[in-house]
């Protein structure tokens, strides 16, 4: 029976060497390119490992009764944007993971599975001795990433008034104007303008009388 997994995919691994012998171990190291959409390694629009960037994998494959237990660490550099000042952010991360890939003919207790027993869609299976690490890797990287990345812990962010970067100018500020005083000042200016108009009208009246 042909498998749906492609052994040429760098994130697909072959377990035939373990031979379904419980206790058998295999250690693997591999550097792969970070996949692109839809399997992005990161949080869309926030931070992640750019497509094509190297991801170093160190894996330990252990054969058990139910399948193959995969334990590993992924190391990569993630890039994103500071949530405070919007400057670029780079994070070196190490994401640990562990996942069981079950044999298709055995349930979680290590005995032959009955039809309809496996109703849990979250269980990952080996396919003709192969397993795809991509979904496990993606989940591990996302969990290892900061949800709100910052360029530095004491980042001051941007000025809420003009958008200036406060890290570049710590003394940056704007004179705050109390809106109540601003309203009174506007009223006073209106009154002054009215008085000027009245004075101008009065002076014009006097001039007219003098001419007569």
């Amino acid at each position: 029976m042909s498998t749906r997994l492609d052994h040429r995919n760098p994130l697909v691994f072959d377990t035939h060497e373990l031979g379904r012998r419980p206790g058998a171990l295999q250690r693997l190291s591999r550097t792969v390119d970070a996949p692109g959409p839809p399997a992005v390694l990161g949080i869309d629009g926030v931070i992640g490992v750019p497509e094509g960037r190297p991801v170093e994998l160190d894996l330990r494959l252990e054969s058990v009764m139910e399948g193959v237990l995969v334990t590993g660490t992924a190391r990569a550099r993630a890039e994103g944007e500071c949530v405070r000042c919007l400057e670029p952010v780079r994070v070196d991360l190490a994401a640990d993971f562990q996942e069981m890939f079950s044999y298709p003919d055995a349930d979680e207790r290590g005995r032959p599975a009955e039809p309809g027993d496996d109703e849990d869609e979250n269980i990952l299976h080996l396919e003709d001795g192969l397993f795809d690490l991509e979904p496990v890797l993606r989940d591990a990287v996302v969990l290892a990433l900061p949800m709100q990345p910052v360029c530095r812990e004491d980042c001051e962010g941007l000025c809420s008034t003009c958008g200036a970067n406060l890290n570049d100018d710590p003394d940056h500020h704007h004179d705050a104007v109390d809106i109540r005083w601003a309203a009174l000042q506007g009223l006073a200016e209106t009154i002054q303008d009215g008085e000027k108009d009245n004075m101008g009208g009065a002076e014009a009246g006097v001039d007219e009388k003098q001419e007569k």
Side-chain angles (χ1 to χ4, degrees), residues 97-117:
F97 53 86
Q98 185 175 72
E99 189 66 46
M100 170 69 73
F101 289 87
S102 300
Y103 295 124
D105 57 349
D107 67 6
E108 61 182 6
R109 292 178 295 279
R111 58 178 175 78
E114 296 295 334
D117 275 357

Side-chain angles (χ1 to χ4, degrees), residues 131-189:
F131 69 86
D132 185 0
L133 191 65
E134 184 181 284
V136 177
L137 176 62
R138 183 173 64 250
D139 292 346
V141 168
V142 169
L143 289 175
L145 288 170
M147 298 299 293
Q148 293 187 320
V150 291
C151 59
R152 66 190 197 202
E153 291 300 324
D154 60 346
C155 175
E156 296 293 338
L158 302 177
C159 175
S160 59
T161 301
C162 67
N165 192 330
L166 299 180
N167 297 306
D168 299 333
D169 184 9
D171 297 327
H172 177 87
H173 70 281
H174 295 272
D175 294 331
V177 178
D178 192 315
I179 58 174
R180 294 169 298 179
W181 290 112
L184 290 175
Q185 182 178 358
L187 178 60
E189 291 175 353

